[in-house]
């Protein structure tokens, strides 16, 4: 299976900070990379698809970039509601594996 | 509006069978793959398998092949995930999600908590 490795596993930040989460694929996946936000007790929410496309309704402070094996999710100015766990997912080869998650803490 | 509504919380014993459901509405059910995703407590997300309701083509992740069965009924726009013999290690929350053309998961069900006691 394709391995997806996120870093860091945990990230401490404050409201207003700019934060970046990194995701690395074990093989090239072109731009088949998605980002999700997960809050406890809630379903995951799609933020970014195909590496850099903002899903409808998602605030513009979220952005994604990357190609091949290295990708980033950036939140330009953290809001209180952004504290959650973030997952990357490759969607090029079945099984469409997820990264292990990055927990964004206050 | 697109909605995926899943069945309710389940409490079962090891060895029992189970079938949980995911009722879709607000879009053409037959034309989009549906994915099932597992979240074990304190763990991350795992894609279990996907089904194309239009022709019932199903693909399983290797870890779940032979462990679960995914199916769909287009007449009632509902997808299913079932186990023939549950294990305590199946205790988790299970989500269904709609898969877009680029294979991202854009709409999700609310999740089903399955608890299996040994």
């Amino acid at each position: 299976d394709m391995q997806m490795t996120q870093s860091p596993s945990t990230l401490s930040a404050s409201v207003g900070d700019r934060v970046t989460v990194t995701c690395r694929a074990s093989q090239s996946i072109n731009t088949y990379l998605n980002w999700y936000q997960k809050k406890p007790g809630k379903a995951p929410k799609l933020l970014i698809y195909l590496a850099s496309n903002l899903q409808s309704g998602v605030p513009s402070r979220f952005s994604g970039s990357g190609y091949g094996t290295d990708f980033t999710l950036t939140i330009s100015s953290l809001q209180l509601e952004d504290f959650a766990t973030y997952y990357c997912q490759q969607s090029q080869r079945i099984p469409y594996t997820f990264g292990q998650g990055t927990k964004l803490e206050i | 509006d697109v909605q995926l509504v899943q069945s309710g919380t389940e409490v079962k014993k090891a060895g029992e069978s189970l079938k949980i459901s995911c009722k879709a509405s607000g879009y053409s059910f037959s034309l989009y793959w549906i994915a099932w995703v597992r979240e074990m407590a304190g763990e991350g997300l795992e894609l279990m398998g996907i089904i194309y309701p239009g022709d019932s083509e199903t693909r399983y992740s290797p870890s779940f092949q032979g462990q679960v069965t995914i199916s769909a009924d287009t007449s009632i726009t509902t997808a299913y995930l079932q186990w023939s013999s549950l294990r305590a290690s199946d205790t988790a929350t299970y989500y269904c999600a709609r898969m877009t053309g680029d294979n991202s998961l854009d709409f999700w069900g609310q999740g089903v908590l399955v608890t299996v006691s040994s």
Side-chain angles (χ1 to χ4, degrees):
Chain A
D1 293 358
M2 182 94 60
Q3 302 301 315
M4 306 300 293
T5 304
Q6 289 183 234
S7 61
S9 296
T10 306
L11 180 57
S12 297
S14 301
V15 172
D17 284 354
R18 177 185 180 91
V19 300
T20 297
V21 179
T22 297
C23 179
R24 175 165 288 177
S26 58
Q27 304 170 50
S28 176
I29 54 171
N30 198 316
T31 58
Y32 285 93
L33 192 284
N34 311 304
W35 290 98
Y36 301 87
Q37 179 190 67
K38 178 72 172 68
K39 295 182 178 180
K42 300 289 187 181
K45 176 184 176 181
L46 177 64
L47 300 175
I48 301 285
Y49 63 95
L50 289 175
S52 62
N53 294 274
L54 193 67
Q55 175 69 358
S56 176
V58 174
S60 59
R61 62 181 180 273
F62 291 92
S63 64
S65 65
Y67 178 87
T69 60
D70 294 310
F71 301 87
T72 59
L73 171 71
T74 299
I75 310 173
S76 61
S77 179
L78 273 175
Q79 302 301 301
L80 202 58
E81 60 266 30
D82 300 336
F83 291 95
T85 300
Y86 292 85
Y87 291 92
C88 63
Q89 180 211 20
Q90 66 84 13
S91 54
Q92 188 185 58
R93 299 192 187 106
I94 291 174
Y96 299 138
T97 40
F98 291 89
Q100 81 279 16
T102 294
K103 186 175 183 180
L104 183 52
E105 300 180 327
I106 298 176
Chain B
D1 290 0
V2 174
Q3 281 195 308
L4 298 174
V5 179
Q6 297 186 237
S7 48
T9 298
E10 299 279 358
V11 179
K12 307 290 281 187
K13 294 182 178 180
E16 293 185 330
S17 62
L18 175 65
K19 191 173 188 177
I20 62 176
S21 65
C22 171
K23 168 74 174 175
S25 61
Y27 72 99
S28 296
F29 179 68
S30 297
L31 301 183
Y32 288 81
W33 292 82
I34 289 283
W36 285 95
V37 176
R38 184 174 78 175
E39 181 188 27
M40 299 178 75
E43 304 290 328
L45 304 173
E46 300 172 271
L47 192 138
M48 304 173 69
I50 57 175
I51 186 166
Y52 188 72
D55 61 6
S56 293
E57 180 180 352
T58 308
R59 303 177 186 175
Y60 295 93
S61 298
S63 299
F64 296 94
Q65 180 80 48
Q67 307 304 308
V68 297
T69 301
I70 295 170
S71 60
D73 185 339
T74 55
S75 68
I76 55 172
T77 66
T78 299
Y80 301 96
L81 176 66
Q82 67 181 88
W83 295 259
S84 59
S85 180
L86 286 161
R87 307 172 182 177
S89 57
D90 293 318
T91 295
T93 298
Y94 295 88
Y95 295 97
C96 62
R98 189 182 78 161
M99 184 175 291
T100 68
D102 53 70
N103 303 329
S104 61
L105 304 174
D106 62 346
F107 287 94
W108 294 68
Q110 81 277 18
V112 176
L113 175 61
V114 174
T115 303
V116 183
S117 62
S118 54

